[in-house]
Amino acid sequence: MKRRRKFSAEFKSKVAIEALREQLPIHEIAKKYQIHPSQVTDWKKALVGGAGEVFESSKAKTDQRQLQKRKEDRLFRQIGQLQTEVDFLKESCEILGVDLPENELNQ
């Protein structure tokens, strides 16, 4: 069985830029680089779709990363709090002699 080929980001961008120039048809570019025409089209779409990020300021990128990090931290704290509450409820039910269904809270 053939192994999948892996292409570098530089190679993909080179092919995508050539496709954007539209000097050759997609099928000829694909033949030139020995790849499938749909791959050329996908890389071209990815380049056009991500082009806006090139001009985004580094401060905006940093702000967005910090916002994402704060959101993740908040969610992890919430998970920890919920796990503590579940453990407390398990112990309380055990002390009070309350039987819990096997599939609930016993995970």
Side-chain angles (χ1 to χ4, degrees):
M1 181 151 85
K2 261 184 149 179
R3 296 183 78 191
R4 292 184 90 180
R5 295 187 296 170
K6 295 181 183 178
F7 301 101
S8 68
E10 292 81 21
F11 178 78
K12 290 177 184 180
S13 61
K14 177 180 171 182
V15 173
I17 289 170
E18 191 168 332
L20 279 173
R21 288 186 184 141
E22 296 181 347
Q23 292 175 343
L24 292 172
I26 297 289
H27 71 276
E28 287 185 23
I29 295 170
K31 186 176 181 181
K32 176 180 174 182
Y33 293 104
Q34 298 176 351
I35 56 177
H36 197 274
S38 65
Q39 194 69 64
V40 176
T41 305
D42 290 345
W43 292 345
K44 179 180 172 182
K45 286 180 187 176
L47 181 64
V48 171
E53 294 175 16
V54 171
F55 299 105
E56 196 174 280
S57 72
S58 61
K59 181 173 175 12
K61 290 178 187 176
T62 303
D63 290 347
Q64 191 164 3
R65 273 191 238 119
Q66 288 176 346
L67 183 65
Q68 181 67 25
K69 177 73 173 141
R70 277 186 261 146
K71 184 179 179 180
E72 286 176 7
D73 290 344
R74 182 178 46 83
L75 290 172
F76 282 126
R77 278 194 308 273
Q78 188 176 14
I79 289 169
Q81 179 182 352
L82 291 172
Q83 187 61 49
T84 302
E85 291 173 7
V86 166
D87 292 342
F88 172 77
L89 291 172
K90 281 183 191 178
E91 289 176 19
S92 297
C93 288
E94 201 173 289
I95 291 170
L96 296 172
V98 176
D99 291 330
L100 295 174
E102 291 207 20
N103 61 350
E104 293 182 27
L105 298 176
N106 289 330
Q107 298 173 354

